[in-house]
């Protein structure tokens, strides 16, 4: 491997307090703080090669050339890294997800966290985690959190300088916690989260959500500190429903839930009724993430599979890291 070739890995994340709604610029400045856990096995691996003799960047995502829209988003991200670094050489970006894209686990979070670390390292920038988090946020708000491992909060932030993520607790803090995803549909979502963030501000429910989030975020921080799944689960369910209420009342309305989503929600409630510690959360799609403990994982998986769905389970993982190269 040449010195100008870097390989980086970053985990996806699942939010307990969701980021939904931003100030409408390329900066992705979130309207509310969000809190997540970084996932361990659901990772993106990105190789970046500096191409001194090439005319343009090259992109290969999951073995294929990405759509023109994705290329535009990647180019605008790289333009910013080049402005800061003063470097001009094009890059070749090759990226693979260790999980199916569009499976209910956000690949933009791990993808842009990996790219932020890989591109900045390839251009010789020695950035702090905070700076990397701010950079990753420009690609995708949730990516700002995936720079860190464990339990992570992305601050609300009024400007580019103060909207960055911070670690609340590392990955060793709560090793029993699990995210079991019922993949009720695996197609690409019809409306991107970028579009959803813009529409959110028009929802009549948004003001109520923004008022409720600080207290819910306080409970989530406390639940993480105490490793209290019931407290974490209650707040996470409330926050997911609040976000989807905003989505459903945006103009035009966004309905990410399907009848299977409701079936899965009811299955989780039924499990709880029977003494299985399980709570749901749902991102910008129909799939249902079940927060549980390793001791309950096999039973939760079995019940979701019995309903006919594919299941992906993961735990708490570390932050974005360089796995090969790095001396540019
Ligand atoms: O990072 P984005 O723009 O894909 O937005 C993330 C949106 C949610 O996944 C629904 C919530 C979150 O905080 O991860």
């Amino acid at each position: 491997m040449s010195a100008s070739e870097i390989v980086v890995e970053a985990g996806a994340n699942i939010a307990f307090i969701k980021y939904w709604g931003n100030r409408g610029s390329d900066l992705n400045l979130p309207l509310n703080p969000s809190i997540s856990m970084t996932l361990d096995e659901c990772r993106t691996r990105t190789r970046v090669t500096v191409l001194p003799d090439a005319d343009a960047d090259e992109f290969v995502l999951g073995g294929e050339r990405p759509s023109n829209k994705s290329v535009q988003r990647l180019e605008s991200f790289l333009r910013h890294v080049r402005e800061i670094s003063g470097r001009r050489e094009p890059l070749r970006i090759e990226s693979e997800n260790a999980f199916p894209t569009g499976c209910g686990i956000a690949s933009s979070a791990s993808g842009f966290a990996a790219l932020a670390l890989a591109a900045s390292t390839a251009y010789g920038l020695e950035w702090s985690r905070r700076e990397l988090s701010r950079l990753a946020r420009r690609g995708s708000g949730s990516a700002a959190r995936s720079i860190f491992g464990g339990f992570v909060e992305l601050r609300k932030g009024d400007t580019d300088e103060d909207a960055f993520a911070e670690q609340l607790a590392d990955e060793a803090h709560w090793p029993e916690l699990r995210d079991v995803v019922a993949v009720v549909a695996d197609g690409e979502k019809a409306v991107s989260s970028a579009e959803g963030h813009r529409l959110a501000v028009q929802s009549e429910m948004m003001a109520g959500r923004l008022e409720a989030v600080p207290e819910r975020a306080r409970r989530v921080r406390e639940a993480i500190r105490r490793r209290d799944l019931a407290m974490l689960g209650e707040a996470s369910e409330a926050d997911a429903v609040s976000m989807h209420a905003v989505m459903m009342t945006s103009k035009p309305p966004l309905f990410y839930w399907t009848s299977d989503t409701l079936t899965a929600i009811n299955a989780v409630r039924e499990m709880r009724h029977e003494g299985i510690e399980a709570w749901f959360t749902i991102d910008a799609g129909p799939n249902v993430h079940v927060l549980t403990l390793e001791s309950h994982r096999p039973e939760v998986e079995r019940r979701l599979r019995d309903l006919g769905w594919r299941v992906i389970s993961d735990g708490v993982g570390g932050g974005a890291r360089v796995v090969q190269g790095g001396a540019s």
Side-chain angles (χ1 to χ4, degrees):
M1 169 174 300
S2 78
S4 59
E5 207 170 285
I6 313 291
V7 181
V8 159
E9 282 189 2
N13 65 70
I14 179 68
F16 310 123
I17 299 290
K18 310 291 188 187
Y19 151 52
W20 198 251
N22 64 33
R23 284 154 215 259
S25 78
D26 290 350
L27 292 175
N28 289 336
L29 296 173
L31 292 175
N32 66 272
S34 55
I35 303 178
S36 58
M37 79 181 198
T38 300
L39 297 172
D40 186 30
E41 286 173 28
C42 290
R43 275 186 247 159
T44 298
R45 191 180 172 93
T46 299
R47 177 185 299 268
V48 168
T49 313
V50 180
L51 305 174
D53 302 321
D55 298 329
D57 297 315
E58 297 171 13
F59 301 101
V60 185
L61 306 190
E64 290 173 14
R65 191 187 142 77
S67 66
N68 289 346
K69 207 170 160 199
S70 300
V71 169
Q72 267 174 22
R73 194 168 166 192
L74 290 161
E75 285 292 2
S76 114
F77 185 85
L78 292 181
R79 208 172 304 125
H80 178 66
V81 187
R82 284 197 263 265
E83 266 164 29
I84 297 175
S85 64
R87 300 274 296 256
R88 305 188 108 126
E89 309 97 300
L91 299 177
R92 177 176 171 81
I93 314 283
E94 292 162 273
S95 200
E96 291 281 345
N97 289 335
F99 54 98
T101 306
C103 72
I105 294 179
S107 56
S108 64
S110 51
F112 276 106
L115 184 57
L117 179 57
S120 57
T121 309
Y123 281 148
L125 296 167
E126 287 177 16
W127 274 0
S128 67
R129 294 260 145 189
R130 180 173 292 187
E131 288 165 312
L132 288 170
S133 175
R134 286 176 47 222
L135 173 62
R137 193 202 68 235
R138 287 175 177 254
S140 160
S142 57
R145 301 188 307 248
S146 275
I147 291 293
F148 296 91
F151 299 85
V152 185
E153 174 159 357
L154 170 60
R155 297 150 56 112
K156 175 169 147 284
D158 296 312
T159 63
D160 179 36
E161 282 71 38
D162 63 6
F164 51 81
E166 290 170 299
Q167 189 178 57
L168 300 173
D170 71 16
E171 56 271 32
H173 172 70
W174 196 355
E176 303 84 13
L177 190 61
R178 292 288 175 275
D179 174 23
V180 179
V181 192
V183 184
V184 306
D186 56 10
E188 282 282 312
K189 55 186 164 221
V191 180
S192 69
S193 46
E195 178 66 8
H197 289 301
R198 267 191 297 276
L199 296 175
V201 283
Q202 296 156 17
S203 159
E204 65 197 43
M205 309 292 245
M206 194 60 173
R209 170 165 171 74
L210 293 178
E211 213 176 291
V213 161
E215 171 56 19
R216 209 150 49 219
R218 193 195 62 72
R219 290 215 306 280
V220 165
R221 283 185 216 106
E222 180 70 11
I224 291 169
R225 199 181 61 73
R226 292 201 226 158
R227 299 185 199 91
D228 182 334
L229 180 59
M231 191 178 188
L232 179 69
E234 273 164 34
S236 299
E237 286 194 354
D239 197 72
V241 172
S242 151
M243 175 181 74
H244 281 271
V246 166
M247 291 164 161
M248 290 177 200
T249 50
S250 292
K251 291 171 192 73
L254 301 178
F255 285 89
Y256 287 109
W257 291 10
T258 65
S259 54
D260 279 337
T261 308
L262 279 168
T263 305
I265 289 175
N266 285 331
V268 171
R269 291 174 149 192
E270 179 59 32
M271 287 183 218
R272 215 150 63 220
H273 190 65
E274 293 175 33
I276 300 166
E277 291 177 78
W279 279 264
F280 69 82
T281 182
I282 304 163
D283 276 346
N287 299 317
V288 177
H289 294 245
V290 184
L291 303 173
T292 189
L293 300 175
E294 174 55 24
S295 52
H296 296 292
R297 180 190 51 79
E299 181 61 14
V300 172
E301 286 183 353
R302 191 185 66 71
R303 289 182 183 226
L304 297 173
R305 282 199 187 106
D306 282 354
L307 286 162
W309 300 312
R310 195 155 57 89
V311 170
I312 298 173
S313 289
D314 210 342
V316 192
R321 58 204 166 274
V322 175
V323 293
Q324 282 175 46
S328 156

